[in-house]
Amino acid sequence: MSNTIVIGMQWGDEGKGKDVDILTEEADVVVRYQGGGNAGHTVVIGGKKYALHLIPSGILRKGTLNIIGNNVVVNPFRLLEEIKDLQNSGIEVTPKNLRISDRSHLTLEYHELLDSAGGKGIGVTGRGIGPTYFSKVSRSFPTGIRFCDLYYPELLKDKVTENVNFTNHMLSFYDANASMCSSRNILEQLLGIKDDILPFVEPDIGSLILAHDGSLLYEGAQGTLLDVDAGTYPYVTSSNPTIGGAFTGTLVHPHFHNIIGILKAYTTRVGNGPFPTELEDEVGERLRRRGVEFGTTTGRQRRCGWLDLFAAAYSIRVNGINKISLTKLDVLGEEDAIEVCFGYSRDGGKMIHFPTYIDRCKPMYVELPGWKRDISGARKPKELPKNAREYIDYIQKFLGVQIVRVGVGPGREQTIEFQ
Ligand code: IMP
């Protein structure tokens, strides 16, 4: 029996959903610990595609308990929609298999409006993430609203009014002609869904988690380089997708036997911010097309580039990653040669540490031969072409962490185990 955490090693979209789906087979409980509706985990089962934003991927397996931790910010209306969509696809979602911490903060319409008004510079998803964490952390400028507040309509009314007044000031700061939001509407809507949502609300997720110690799966959203502390600030999200976020995000401290880093065989990034290995040419275009690199949440095109092992090594250090799952290797199958970044230079000198600002860094590359073959049908290591195996070996040796699984397509079965 073991506890596992799955963490993105890049800027998100590494393909964590598929790994989580495979790993849930062994888990009694799947936990989300940070982020919110900005996340988008796509899982393909039997040719059917499920896009999850707030609900842990364990929901797709019968008998698994799914927990949304206290540091996940949740738009309750979007959550109910996600629940309904899953139910309409025949997936069981009930208060028995989905629990939400009563400390989780609510993302409401005014957070999304503020995000769209003020977050353009970093290219946010527009899901109200930054403003929700802002009201959480600011505590009284105005105060955040938590699921537990739904039990107290009078308190809720005061808090919604305070938040809406604040937001309307801010909205007119960004745009004098901005349309304002109405506290009465928001309150009415919230009271309207309260009875649907409260059965899912849990006062003590910690006990539920610890009751299944030894069979836990923690599902990180986003990735290390989007972490508000570890990442490429300010082009980051507002939470900690890194391992520390798992503890503050659930208020218990299980021992993780498997700290699995998910590493895509190349790099992508959505939104703005520095990206040293970005390819703005036909190779980048090909990776985007072959890898279907369009955001699950926003539909935006993802920027594509070569694999950055300097960043991956940093990610291993930040998270204590002890196993790697390499995803989407098949996407590289049309390249004659593949570049891999092993370091950065700046102003003519080689960087020793992954720097705080990577804006002016230039990637240093080694070139490896491509395999020019469709590998999506391979199921065993020996079914891979020699050059593909050498690519995997190079990554493994450079990072000094075992690659345990390689993805060669979106389907659950398109996976090669390297044990
Ligand atoms: P926010 O999380 O919506 O505030 O967006 C901040 C930055 O993180 C933007 O560049 C987003 O594109 C990026 N981001 C947020 N969530 C994800 C994700 O799940 N995958 C990839 N990028 C994300």
Short mmCIF file of all heavy atoms in Angstrom, two decimals, residues 136-182:
data_model
loop_
_atom_site.label_atom_id
_atom_site.label_comp_id
_atom_site.label_asym_id
_atom_site.label_seq_id
_atom_site.Cartn_x
_atom_site.Cartn_y
_atom_site.Cartn_z
N LYS A 136 -9.21 35.63 -0.36
CA LYS A 136 -8.86 34.70 0.72
C LYS A 136 -7.72 35.25 1.57
O LYS A 136 -7.81 35.35 2.79
CB LYS A 136 -8.45 33.35 0.11
CG LYS A 136 -7.85 32.38 1.10
CD LYS A 136 -7.53 31.04 0.47
CE LYS A 136 -6.89 30.13 1.51
NZ LYS A 136 -6.73 28.75 1.06
N VAL A 137 -6.64 35.63 0.90
CA VAL A 137 -5.43 36.00 1.63
C VAL A 137 -5.55 37.41 2.22
O VAL A 137 -5.00 37.69 3.28
CB VAL A 137 -4.20 35.88 0.69
CG1 VAL A 137 -2.94 36.35 1.37
CG2 VAL A 137 -4.02 34.43 0.28
N SER A 138 -6.29 38.29 1.54
CA SER A 138 -6.40 39.66 2.07
C SER A 138 -7.22 39.68 3.36
O SER A 138 -7.04 40.55 4.19
CB SER A 138 -7.01 40.58 1.02
OG SER A 138 -8.39 40.36 0.95
N ARG A 139 -8.13 38.76 3.52
CA ARG A 139 -8.95 38.54 4.73
C ARG A 139 -9.99 39.62 4.99
O ARG A 139 -11.07 39.32 5.42
CB ARG A 139 -8.08 38.36 5.99
CG ARG A 139 -7.18 37.16 5.91
CD ARG A 139 -5.96 37.36 6.73
NE ARG A 139 -5.24 38.51 6.26
CZ ARG A 139 -4.52 39.32 7.01
NH1 ARG A 139 -4.42 39.12 8.31
NH2 ARG A 139 -3.88 40.35 6.49
N SER A 140 -9.67 40.89 4.68
CA SER A 140 -10.68 41.91 4.98
C SER A 140 -10.67 43.05 3.96
O SER A 140 -11.13 44.13 4.26
CB SER A 140 -10.48 42.45 6.38
OG SER A 140 -9.30 43.19 6.41
N PHE A 141 -10.17 42.80 2.77
CA PHE A 141 -10.14 43.88 1.75
C PHE A 141 -10.84 43.53 0.46
O PHE A 141 -10.34 43.86 -0.61
CB PHE A 141 -8.68 44.22 1.39
CG PHE A 141 -7.80 44.62 2.48
CD1 PHE A 141 -6.91 43.72 3.01
CD2 PHE A 141 -7.84 45.91 2.99
CE1 PHE A 141 -6.05 44.11 4.01
CE2 PHE A 141 -6.98 46.29 3.99
CZ PHE A 141 -6.07 45.39 4.51
N PRO A 142 -11.89 42.81 0.37
CA PRO A 142 -12.81 42.37 1.42
C PRO A 142 -12.51 40.92 1.80
O PRO A 142 -11.53 40.35 1.32
CB PRO A 142 -14.15 42.44 0.69
CG PRO A 142 -13.77 42.10 -0.73
CD PRO A 142 -12.36 42.55 -0.96
N THR A 143 -13.37 40.35 2.62
CA THR A 143 -13.14 39.01 3.13
C THR A 143 -13.63 37.94 2.14
O THR A 143 -14.59 38.17 1.40
CB THR A 143 -13.86 38.82 4.48
OG1 THR A 143 -13.53 37.55 4.99
CG2 THR A 143 -15.37 38.93 4.36
N GLY A 144 -12.95 36.79 2.11
CA GLY A 144 -13.38 35.70 1.24
C GLY A 144 -14.63 35.02 1.78
O GLY A 144 -14.96 35.13 2.96
N ILE A 145 -15.30 34.29 0.89
CA ILE A 145 -16.50 33.55 1.30
C ILE A 145 -16.20 32.06 1.15
O ILE A 145 -15.68 31.63 0.12
CB ILE A 145 -17.70 33.94 0.41
CG1 ILE A 145 -17.97 35.44 0.58
CG2 ILE A 145 -18.94 33.12 0.78
CD1 ILE A 145 -19.12 35.96 -0.27
N ARG A 146 -16.51 31.31 2.22
CA ARG A 146 -16.20 29.88 2.20
C ARG A 146 -17.49 29.05 2.17
O ARG A 146 -18.56 29.56 2.49
CB ARG A 146 -15.36 29.52 3.43
CG ARG A 146 -14.07 30.31 3.48
CD ARG A 146 -13.14 29.82 4.55
NE ARG A 146 -13.56 30.18 5.89
CZ ARG A 146 -12.87 29.85 6.99
NH1 ARG A 146 -11.76 29.15 6.89
NH2 ARG A 146 -13.30 30.22 8.17
N PHE A 147 -17.34 27.78 1.83
CA PHE A 147 -18.53 26.92 1.76
C PHE A 147 -19.28 26.91 3.10
O PHE A 147 -20.50 26.86 3.12
CB PHE A 147 -18.16 25.51 1.32
CG PHE A 147 -18.05 25.40 -0.17
CD1 PHE A 147 -16.83 25.59 -0.80
CD2 PHE A 147 -19.16 25.16 -0.96
CE1 PHE A 147 -16.71 25.53 -2.18
CE2 PHE A 147 -19.07 25.09 -2.34
CZ PHE A 147 -17.84 25.29 -2.95
N CYS A 148 -18.54 26.99 4.21
CA CYS A 148 -19.22 26.95 5.52
C CYS A 148 -20.15 28.16 5.69
O CYS A 148 -21.11 28.10 6.45
CB CYS A 148 -18.20 26.87 6.65
SG CYS A 148 -16.94 28.12 6.55
N ASP A 149 -19.88 29.25 4.96
CA ASP A 149 -20.72 30.44 5.09
C ASP A 149 -22.12 30.24 4.50
O ASP A 149 -23.04 31.01 4.80
CB ASP A 149 -20.04 31.66 4.42
CG ASP A 149 -18.71 31.99 5.08
OD1 ASP A 149 -18.57 31.74 6.29
OD2 ASP A 149 -17.81 32.49 4.38
N LEU A 150 -22.25 29.21 3.66
CA LEU A 150 -23.58 28.96 3.07
C LEU A 150 -24.61 28.56 4.13
O LEU A 150 -25.81 28.62 3.91
CB LEU A 150 -23.49 27.85 2.01
CG LEU A 150 -22.70 28.16 0.74
CD1 LEU A 150 -22.64 26.93 -0.17
CD2 LEU A 150 -23.33 29.31 -0.02
N TYR A 151 -24.11 28.14 5.29
CA TYR A 151 -25.04 27.77 6.37
C TYR A 151 -25.67 29.01 7.03
O TYR A 151 -26.59 28.88 7.81
CB TYR A 151 -24.30 26.97 7.47
CG TYR A 151 -23.88 25.59 7.03
CD1 TYR A 151 -22.53 25.30 6.79
CD2 TYR A 151 -24.81 24.57 6.87
CE1 TYR A 151 -22.13 24.03 6.41
CE2 TYR A 151 -24.42 23.30 6.48
CZ TYR A 151 -23.08 23.02 6.25
OH TYR A 151 -22.69 21.78 5.87
N TYR A 152 -25.09 30.19 6.78
CA TYR A 152 -25.53 31.40 7.50
C TYR A 152 -25.93 32.51 6.52
O TYR A 152 -25.13 33.39 6.19
CB TYR A 152 -24.39 31.90 8.41
CG TYR A 152 -23.83 30.82 9.29
CD1 TYR A 152 -22.62 30.20 8.98
CD2 TYR A 152 -24.53 30.39 10.42
CE1 TYR A 152 -22.11 29.18 9.78
CE2 TYR A 152 -24.04 29.37 11.22
CZ TYR A 152 -22.83 28.77 10.89
OH TYR A 152 -22.35 27.76 11.67
N PRO A 153 -27.19 32.51 6.05
CA PRO A 153 -27.61 33.46 5.00
C PRO A 153 -27.38 34.93 5.36
O PRO A 153 -27.03 35.72 4.48
CB PRO A 153 -29.10 33.16 4.85
CG PRO A 153 -29.25 31.75 5.30
CD PRO A 153 -28.23 31.53 6.37
N GLU A 154 -27.54 35.32 6.62
CA GLU A 154 -27.36 36.74 6.98
C GLU A 154 -25.90 37.16 6.80
O GLU A 154 -25.60 38.22 6.25
CB GLU A 154 -27.80 36.99 8.43
CG GLU A 154 -29.31 37.12 8.60
CD GLU A 154 -29.92 38.15 7.66
OE1 GLU A 154 -29.41 39.28 7.58
OE2 GLU A 154 -30.91 37.80 6.96
N LEU A 155 -25.01 36.30 7.29
CA LEU A 155 -23.57 36.55 7.16
C LEU A 155 -23.19 36.60 5.68
O LEU A 155 -22.42 37.45 5.22
CB LEU A 155 -22.81 35.41 7.87
CG LEU A 155 -21.31 35.41 7.76
CD1 LEU A 155 -20.73 36.42 8.75
CD2 LEU A 155 -20.75 34.02 8.07
N LEU A 156 -23.76 35.66 4.94
CA LEU A 156 -23.49 35.57 3.51
C LEU A 156 -23.89 36.87 2.81
O LEU A 156 -23.15 37.40 1.98
CB LEU A 156 -24.32 34.40 2.96
CG LEU A 156 -23.94 33.86 1.59
CD1 LEU A 156 -22.52 33.33 1.59
CD2 LEU A 156 -24.90 32.73 1.19
N LYS A 157 -25.05 37.39 3.21
CA LYS A 157 -25.54 38.62 2.59
C LYS A 157 -24.54 39.76 2.81
O LYS A 157 -24.18 40.49 1.89
CB LYS A 157 -26.90 38.98 3.23
CG LYS A 157 -27.55 40.15 2.60
CD LYS A 157 -28.93 40.35 3.18
CE LYS A 157 -29.45 41.70 2.75
NZ LYS A 157 -30.46 42.21 3.63
N ASP A 158 -24.07 39.91 4.06
CA ASP A 158 -23.11 40.98 4.35
C ASP A 158 -21.83 40.81 3.54
O ASP A 158 -21.30 41.76 2.98
CB ASP A 158 -22.72 40.96 5.85
CG ASP A 158 -23.89 41.37 6.71
OD1 ASP A 158 -24.87 41.90 6.14
OD2 ASP A 158 -23.82 41.15 7.93
N LYS A 159 -21.37 39.57 3.47
CA LYS A 159 -20.10 39.33 2.77
C LYS A 159 -20.24 39.58 1.28
O LYS A 159 -19.36 40.17 0.65
CB LYS A 159 -19.63 37.90 3.01
CG LYS A 159 -19.11 37.67 4.42
CD LYS A 159 -18.44 36.32 4.52
CE LYS A 159 -17.67 36.18 5.81
NZ LYS A 159 -16.84 34.99 5.86
N VAL A 160 -21.34 39.11 0.69
CA VAL A 160 -21.54 39.31 -0.75
C VAL A 160 -21.62 40.80 -1.04
O VAL A 160 -20.98 41.31 -1.98
CB VAL A 160 -22.80 38.55 -1.25
CG1 VAL A 160 -23.15 38.98 -2.67
CG2 VAL A 160 -22.58 37.05 -1.19
N THR A 161 -22.35 41.54 -0.21
CA THR A 161 -22.51 42.98 -0.44
C THR A 161 -21.15 43.68 -0.39
O THR A 161 -20.80 44.48 -1.26
CB THR A 161 -23.45 43.58 0.63
OG1 THR A 161 -24.64 42.80 0.64
CG2 THR A 161 -23.79 45.03 0.35
N GLU A 162 -20.38 43.34 0.62
CA GLU A 162 -19.05 43.96 0.77
C GLU A 162 -18.17 43.66 -0.45
O GLU A 162 -17.50 44.54 -1.00
CB GLU A 162 -18.42 43.37 2.05
CG GLU A 162 -17.14 44.03 2.46
CD GLU A 162 -16.41 43.19 3.53
OE1 GLU A 162 -16.98 42.21 4.05
OE2 GLU A 162 -15.25 43.52 3.81
N ASN A 163 -18.20 42.40 -0.89
CA ASN A 163 -17.38 41.99 -2.03
C ASN A 163 -17.83 42.67 -3.32
O ASN A 163 -16.99 43.09 -4.13
CB ASN A 163 -17.46 40.47 -2.22
CG ASN A 163 -16.44 39.75 -1.36
OD1 ASN A 163 -15.28 39.64 -1.74
ND2 ASN A 163 -16.86 39.30 -0.18
N VAL A 164 -19.13 42.76 -3.50
CA VAL A 164 -19.63 43.36 -4.74
C VAL A 164 -19.31 44.85 -4.77
O VAL A 164 -18.88 45.39 -5.80
CB VAL A 164 -21.14 43.07 -4.91
CG1 VAL A 164 -21.74 43.93 -6.02
CG2 VAL A 164 -21.34 41.59 -5.23
N ASN A 165 -19.45 45.53 -3.63
CA ASN A 165 -19.11 46.97 -3.60
C ASN A 165 -17.64 47.17 -3.97
O ASN A 165 -17.30 48.03 -4.78
CB ASN A 165 -19.35 47.56 -2.19
CG ASN A 165 -20.83 47.68 -1.92
OD1 ASN A 165 -21.64 47.62 -2.84
ND2 ASN A 165 -21.20 47.82 -0.64
N PHE A 166 -16.81 46.36 -3.38
CA PHE A 166 -15.37 46.45 -3.66
C PHE A 166 -15.10 46.20 -5.14
O PHE A 166 -14.39 46.95 -5.81
CB PHE A 166 -14.62 45.43 -2.79
CG PHE A 166 -13.16 45.30 -3.13
CD1 PHE A 166 -12.24 46.19 -2.60
CD2 PHE A 166 -12.71 44.29 -3.99
CE1 PHE A 166 -10.88 46.07 -2.91
CE2 PHE A 166 -11.36 44.18 -4.30
CZ PHE A 166 -10.45 45.07 -3.76
N THR A 167 -15.71 45.13 -5.65
CA THR A 167 -15.46 44.75 -7.05
C THR A 167 -15.92 45.85 -8.00
O THR A 167 -15.22 46.17 -8.97
CB THR A 167 -16.21 43.45 -7.40
OG1 THR A 167 -15.83 42.46 -6.47
CG2 THR A 167 -15.86 42.97 -8.80
N ASN A 168 -17.09 46.44 -7.72
CA ASN A 168 -17.58 47.47 -8.63
C ASN A 168 -16.63 48.67 -8.68
O ASN A 168 -16.41 49.25 -9.73
CB ASN A 168 -19.01 47.88 -8.26
CG ASN A 168 -20.01 46.79 -8.68
OD1 ASN A 168 -19.68 45.96 -9.53
ND2 ASN A 168 -21.19 46.80 -8.09
N HIS A 169 -16.04 49.00 -7.53
CA HIS A 169 -15.01 50.07 -7.52
C HIS A 169 -13.84 49.67 -8.41
O HIS A 169 -13.36 50.45 -9.22
CB HIS A 169 -14.47 50.30 -6.11
CG HIS A 169 -15.35 51.20 -5.30
ND1 HIS A 169 -15.58 52.51 -5.64
CD2 HIS A 169 -16.03 50.97 -4.15
CE1 HIS A 169 -16.38 53.05 -4.75
NE2 HIS A 169 -16.68 52.14 -3.83
N MET A 170 -13.41 48.44 -8.22
CA MET A 170 -12.24 47.97 -8.98
C MET A 170 -12.55 47.91 -10.47
O MET A 170 -11.72 48.27 -11.30
CB MET A 170 -11.81 46.57 -8.50
CG MET A 170 -11.20 46.54 -7.13
SD MET A 170 -9.71 47.54 -7.02
CE MET A 170 -8.58 46.58 -7.99
N LEU A 171 -13.75 47.45 -10.81
CA LEU A 171 -14.11 47.34 -12.23
C LEU A 171 -14.10 48.72 -12.88
O LEU A 171 -13.62 48.88 -14.00
CB LEU A 171 -15.48 46.67 -12.39
CG LEU A 171 -15.53 45.17 -12.09
CD1 LEU A 171 -16.97 44.66 -12.16
CD2 LEU A 171 -14.65 44.38 -13.05
N SER A 172 -14.59 49.74 -12.15
CA SER A 172 -14.59 51.06 -12.77
C SER A 172 -13.18 51.63 -12.83
O SER A 172 -12.88 52.48 -13.66
CB SER A 172 -15.56 52.02 -12.07
OG SER A 172 -15.29 52.04 -10.71
N PHE A 173 -12.31 51.14 -11.95
CA PHE A 173 -10.89 51.54 -12.03
C PHE A 173 -10.29 51.02 -13.35
O PHE A 173 -9.57 51.73 -14.04
CB PHE A 173 -10.13 50.98 -10.82
CG PHE A 173 -8.64 50.99 -10.95
CD1 PHE A 173 -7.92 52.17 -10.74
CD2 PHE A 173 -7.94 49.83 -11.27
CE1 PHE A 173 -6.54 52.17 -10.86
CE2 PHE A 173 -6.56 49.84 -11.38
CZ PHE A 173 -5.86 51.01 -11.18
N TYR A 174 -10.61 49.75 -13.70
CA TYR A 174 -10.06 49.19 -14.93
C TYR A 174 -10.73 49.77 -16.18
O TYR A 174 -10.12 49.94 -17.22
CB TYR A 174 -10.20 47.66 -14.94
CG TYR A 174 -9.23 46.98 -14.00
CD1 TYR A 174 -9.68 46.25 -12.90
CD2 TYR A 174 -7.85 47.06 -14.21
CE1 TYR A 174 -8.79 45.64 -12.04
CE2 TYR A 174 -6.96 46.44 -13.36
CZ TYR A 174 -7.42 45.73 -12.27
OH TYR A 174 -6.55 45.12 -11.43
N ASP A 175 -12.05 50.01 -16.07
CA ASP A 175 -12.79 50.46 -17.24
C ASP A 175 -13.99 51.29 -16.76
O ASP A 175 -14.91 50.76 -16.14
CB ASP A 175 -13.26 49.21 -18.03
CG ASP A 175 -14.18 49.58 -19.18
OD1 ASP A 175 -14.39 50.78 -19.43
OD2 ASP A 175 -14.68 48.64 -19.83
N ALA A 176 -13.95 52.59 -17.09
CA ALA A 176 -14.99 53.49 -16.59
C ALA A 176 -16.38 53.07 -17.06
O ALA A 176 -17.39 53.36 -16.42
CB ALA A 176 -14.68 54.92 -17.04
N ASN A 177 -16.44 52.34 -18.19
CA ASN A 177 -17.75 51.93 -18.73
C ASN A 177 -18.11 50.49 -18.39
O ASN A 177 -19.04 49.92 -18.96
CB ASN A 177 -17.77 52.08 -20.26
CG ASN A 177 -17.48 53.50 -20.66
OD1 ASN A 177 -18.03 54.43 -20.05
ND2 ASN A 177 -16.60 53.68 -21.63
N ALA A 178 -17.35 49.89 -17.49
CA ALA A 178 -17.58 48.47 -17.19
C ALA A 178 -18.98 48.26 -16.61
O ALA A 178 -19.48 49.12 -15.87
CB ALA A 178 -16.54 47.99 -16.17
N SER A 179 -19.61 47.13 -16.96
CA SER A 179 -20.92 46.86 -16.35
C SER A 179 -20.69 46.31 -14.94
O SER A 179 -19.77 45.54 -14.70
CB SER A 179 -21.75 45.91 -17.20
OG SER A 179 -20.96 44.85 -17.62
N MET A 180 -21.53 46.75 -14.03
CA MET A 180 -21.35 46.45 -12.60
C MET A 180 -22.08 45.15 -12.25
O MET A 180 -22.99 44.73 -12.95
CB MET A 180 -21.94 47.58 -11.75
CG MET A 180 -21.33 48.94 -12.05
SD MET A 180 -19.67 49.09 -11.34
CE MET A 180 -18.66 49.41 -12.74
N CYS A 181 -21.69 44.53 -11.15
CA CYS A 181 -22.46 43.35 -10.76
C CYS A 181 -23.39 43.67 -9.60
O CYS A 181 -23.22 44.68 -8.90
CB CYS A 181 -21.60 42.13 -10.54
SG CYS A 181 -20.22 42.26 -9.47
N SER A 182 -24.37 42.82 -9.42
CA SER A 182 -25.43 43.10 -8.45
C SER A 182 -25.35 42.10 -7.30
O SER A 182 -25.41 40.88 -7.53
CB SER A 182 -26.77 43.02 -9.16
OG SER A 182 -27.76 42.50 -8.30
#
